Amino acid sequence: MTRIEHLTESGLLERITPGLAQGSDVELGPGDDAAVVRLASPRLVITTDTLTEGHDFLLSATRPEWIGRKAAVQNLADVAAMGARPQAVVVSVSAPRETPAELLEGISRGLAERCAREGVSVVGGDLGAADSLSITVTAVGALPEGQAPVRRDGARPDQVLALGSPLIGRSAAGLALVLAGEGEALAGDRGTDGDDGDDGVRSPDVTPAALVAWHDAPDPEISLGWTACPGRARAMLDVSDGLARDGGRIARASGVVLDLDRAVLAADADALAPAADLLTEPADPWQWVLGGGEEHALLATFEEGEIPAGFRRIGLVRAPSPGEEPGVVLDGTVLADLGFDHFG
Amino acid sequence: MTRIEHLTESGLLERITPGLAQGSDVELGPGDDAAVVRLASPRLVITTDTLTEGHDFLLSATRPEWIGRKAAVQNLADVAAMGARPQAVVVSVSAPRETPAELLEGISRGLAERCAREGVSVVGGDLGAADSLSITVTAVGALPEGQAPVRRDGARPDQVLALGSPLIGRSAAGLALVLAGEGEALAGDRGTDGDDGDDGVRSPDVTPAALVAWHDAPDPEISLGWTACPGRARAMLDVSDGLARDGGRIARASGVVLDLDRAVLAADADALAPAADLLTEPADPWQWVLGGGEEHALLATFEEGEIPAGFRRIGLVRAPSPGEEPGVVLDGTVLADLGFDHFG
């Protein structure tokens, strides 16, 4: 183990940057004052997000590679949620001087591998000293000329609400397992990626190990954002803070009500019920389904009949009734009233 | 005073984002998953950097607005150092829950104002919880088609070395004053921007208050990077870690020796001597001139006779003598041997 205080900054970067493969769109990668990337169009899409130790992850309950993957996914999903293909990221890492170099190498490897899967290059970064570890990723992509960004305010009555994931709530379920003390034991096993069912559709793995892994490094199909959604999605975001809160953002921005389909989401709750049963403190899997964040699956509205493959219908868009506020409802009850959209 | 723990994230953003003016190149500003900016060309230039409380600034010895300005300058300078005009930044702020909202508003205001001076928009951001305050800015710009980025490896023998600042070492001098306990008393007064001398050239203000302010919010002429340097600068970076270390980067990347002109830089040391005399611990202003970082002035090489206005000649580029390593020398002595390029 080599602590970073015993390496020069350039010495550490020399260990990390050779692992960062650069795409053919990268004119100038890491090592100068800034990187140069040829975007697919001049219409830049840009977003940034930070993961902080003790707040967004626990070093004791995750792996360095997963921190890197999570940092990648939460940013790439934001670009995808505009309907754009991400092309590059830059990363700023702040770390205590006694941090093992291997930890930063692992984070970097996870980041770069998850990015590479989407054809995204890690083109630059910064490394500085801090009292605790944090990772800020900025992701960029481009929108083709003539293609409008998919905003949050495009939901209209009679559209359908759809989710780009076969199961929601896994991240919250995994967190509950970690907090219950199951995390450390389980973090060593990633589990399988899922089983092929009788219908040939791969169903998500809901073993405890897989749920903890999903929490540590959620892995939704973000490429749907730029492959399936341009020209079809009317409103879109990725689920960062839970169906209720993120749905509420679409609802308020668009002035509509999102009416969730209990029968559909009950299947998600049922799938997570065995995990809830493992906990000594009783847990309601509906809380995970409706309130669980850090999924980063795409949530979008489409015209009836236009839902692309990879999305499943989970509700309807309707106009607010007289006196009703825009929001998310289930069986006629506003989810905010169930405690699902508070700041926390 | 309102602590941010008593505001929702959206409530806090509602206080901040109205102050962020958006340029006409911004298609979609803050508030969605990502921002959309029409770049001047598809050749994106991108860089990122973090300021962390206790490591890069002391809340007790600076002002919120200056933290924002410094975060802006250090990133805009990196884009400028490629010869590109910056167009937009995104910012990720991590802060303890008890942080006053006014502190974050001040940082945001300083960031936005400094950006606006260069025609740069703050187009998006992220706010999260952490144990200490940190600000990560990512700056983007674009290179016109056909214009090569100005890298660090283009210095060649017989070029001249030039600095885009009338005085170097102010940031280090200001830091010395702060560390000597002069900072808190002085941080209240920004000082003047400098006096017009007899020759009509504005000479830098070297009062203690001005030096502390320069340390807290260095304000070099970064626009030289995109106005004066394209097609002329052969190698360029901004001085983040001091003339010796940053010069060494150009020297090693280019395989040359940068031979500093003592007579020129002596004027800088002389200008800072009165500040050194204020300290009870003896200080050598040459240390500030050669070793002082966080200046963010542009350091570039040009062909003889091509130094643009705003730059001044501070040395020569030459080939290494037989057996000599690339590096920075003063009066024939390698600066590394004087202790000016260690990691710290």
Side-chain angles (χ1 to χ4, degrees):
Chain A
M1 188 188 89
T2 308
R3 293 181 172 188
I4 59 174
E5 64 192 327
H6 298 130
L7 293 169
T8 62
E9 181 178 356
S10 59
L12 184 56
L13 294 178
E14 278 168 19
R15 290 172 68 144
I16 288 177
T17 51
L20 306 177
Q22 302 298 316
S24 59
D25 52 357
V26 180
E27 287 190 37
L28 185 62
D32 216 298
D33 292 73
V36 183
V37 181
R38 179 171 289 279
L39 297 178
S41 96
R43 296 177 66 213
L44 171 77
V45 177
I46 183 167
T47 184
T48 189
D49 222 335
T50 300
L51 291 177
T52 301
E53 177 190 359
H55 295 265
D56 301 302
F57 63 87
L58 298 170
L59 278 175
S60 60
T62 187
R63 296 187 199 171
E65 285 79 1
W66 295 356
I67 299 169
R69 285 193 215 173
K70 187 172 191 168
V73 163
Q74 68 174 7
N75 282 284
L76 300 181
D78 280 330
V79 173
M82 307 308 289
R85 177 192 289 272
Q87 289 186 243
V89 303
V90 291
V91 56
S92 186
V93 176
S94 299
R97 292 185 182 279
E98 65 272 19
T99 304
E102 291 76 10
L103 174 58
L104 300 190
E105 291 175 299
I107 292 173
S108 172
R109 190 162 51 241
L111 174 71
E113 285 174 357
R114 187 63 188 83
C115 285
R117 262 177 53 198
E118 312 294 350
V120 172
S121 304
V122 182
V123 298
D126 172 56
L127 177 65
D131 294 340
S132 62
L133 180 63
S134 70
I135 300 97
T136 301
V137 169
T138 301
V140 295
L143 278 168
E145 293 291 352
Q147 180 183 316
V150 186
R151 301 167 52 148
R152 297 173 174 190
D153 60 2
R156 296 291 178 270
D158 301 325
Q159 292 173 1
V160 291
L161 181 69
L163 183 69
S165 168
L167 175 59
I168 189 149
R170 276 179 280 180
S171 185
L175 176 61
L177 291 165
V178 170
L179 295 178
E182 306 284 333
E184 292 184 46
L186 295 168
D189 296 313
R190 168 99 204 185
T192 67
D193 274 348
D195 304 313
D196 287 339
D198 287 345
D199 54 0
V201 176
R202 181 160 282 216
S203 63
D205 186 346
V206 291
T207 58
L211 295 174
V212 170
W214 190 269
H215 171 70
D216 286 331
D219 198 19
E221 196 57 70
I222 55 177
S223 63
L224 291 169
W226 63 88
T227 58
C229 292
R232 294 174 99 170
R234 302 304 184 220
M236 184 156 61
L237 47 61
D238 72 292
V239 179
S240 305
D241 300 316
L243 261 189
R245 290 181 66 190
D246 288 314
R249 290 175 176 136
I250 290 179
R252 284 190 300 277
S254 302
V256 299
V257 170
L258 303 182
D259 209 337
L260 299 180
D261 186 327
R262 172 179 284 274
V264 172
L265 293 173
D268 296 60
D270 288 347
L272 297 172
D277 291 340
L278 289 177
L279 301 170
T280 43
E281 292 285 316
D284 178 0
W286 274 101
Q287 294 271 349
W288 298 338
V289 171
L290 298 175
E294 300 186 293
E295 287 286 333
H296 302 297
L298 296 169
L299 179 67
T301 69
F302 300 93
E303 303 299 336
E304 183 77 66
E306 290 194 358
I307 298 179
F311 281 87
R312 61 190 173 117
R313 177 182 181 138
I314 64 164
L316 266 178
V317 185
R318 63 169 173 79
S321 308
E324 187 181 28
E325 295 288 320
V328 184
V329 302
L330 181 71
D331 293 340
T333 303
V334 180
L335 287 186
D337 297 339
L338 296 173
F340 280 113
D341 72 352
H342 293 174
F343 185 64
Chain B
M1 188 188 90
T2 308
R3 293 180 172 190
I4 61 173
E5 64 192 325
H6 298 130
L7 293 169
T8 61
E9 181 177 357
S10 59
L12 183 58
L13 293 178
E14 279 167 18
R15 290 172 69 145
I16 289 177
T17 50
L20 306 177
Q22 302 297 317
S24 59
D25 51 356
V26 180
E27 287 190 37
L28 185 62
D32 215 299
D33 292 74
V36 183
V37 180
R38 179 172 288 278
L39 297 177
S41 97
R43 296 175 67 213
L44 171 77
V45 177
I46 184 167
T47 183
T48 190
D49 221 335
T50 299
L51 290 178
T52 301
E53 177 190 357
H55 295 264
D56 301 301
F57 63 88
L58 299 169
L59 278 177
S60 60
T62 187
R63 295 187 200 172
E65 286 79 0
W66 294 357
I67 300 168
R69 286 192 215 173
K70 188 172 190 169
V73 163
Q74 69 174 6
N75 282 284
L76 300 180
D78 279 331
V79 174
M82 307 307 288
R85 176 192 290 273
Q87 289 186 242
V89 304
V90 291
V91 55
S92 187
V93 176
S94 300
R97 292 185 181 278
E98 65 273 18
T99 305
E102 290 75 10
L103 175 59
L104 300 191
E105 291 174 300
I107 292 173
S108 172
R109 192 163 48 242
L111 175 70
E113 285 173 358
R114 187 63 188 82
C115 285
R117 263 177 52 198
E118 311 295 350
V120 172
S121 304
V122 182
V123 298
D126 173 54
L127 177 65
D131 294 339
S132 62
L133 179 64
S134 70
I135 300 98
T136 302
V137 169
T138 302
V140 294
L143 278 169
E145 293 291 352
Q147 180 184 316
V150 186
R151 300 167 52 148
R152 298 173 173 188
D153 59 1
R156 296 290 177 272
D158 300 325
Q159 292 172 2
V160 290
L161 181 69
L163 183 67
S165 168
L167 175 59
I168 190 151
R170 277 179 280 180
S171 185
L175 176 61
L177 291 165
V178 170
L179 294 179
E182 306 285 332
E184 292 183 45
L186 295 169
D189 296 312
R190 169 96 204 186
T192 67
D193 273 349
D195 304 312
D196 287 340
D198 286 343
D199 55 359
V201 175
R202 182 160 281 217
S203 64
D205 186 346
V206 290
T207 59
L211 294 173
V212 170
W214 189 270
H215 171 70
D216 286 331
D219 198 19
E221 196 58 69
I222 55 177
S223 63
L224 291 169
W226 63 91
T227 58
C229 293
R232 294 173 99 171
R234 301 305 184 220
M236 183 157 60
L237 46 61
D238 72 292
V239 179
S240 305
D241 300 318
L243 262 189
R245 289 180 65 190
D246 288 313
R249 290 174 176 137
I250 290 178
R252 284 189 300 276
S254 302
V256 298
V257 170
L258 304 182
D259 209 335
L260 299 181
D261 186 327
R262 172 180 282 274
V264 172
L265 293 174
D268 297 60
D270 289 346
L272 296 172
D277 290 340
L278 290 176
L279 301 171
T280 43
E281 292 284 317
D284 178 0
W286 275 101
Q287 294 271 350
W288 299 338
V289 170
L290 297 176
E294 300 187 293
E295 288 286 332
H296 302 298
L298 296 169
L299 179 68
T301 69
F302 300 93
E303 303 299 336
E304 183 77 66
E306 290 193 359
I307 299 180
F311 281 87
R312 62 189 173 117
R313 176 181 180 138
I314 64 165
L316 266 178
V317 185
R318 64 169 174 80
S321 308
E324 186 181 28
E325 294 289 320
V328 183
V329 302
L330 180 73
D331 293 340
T333 304
V334 180
L335 288 186
D337 296 339
L338 297 173
F340 281 112
D341 73 351
H342 292 174
F343 186 64

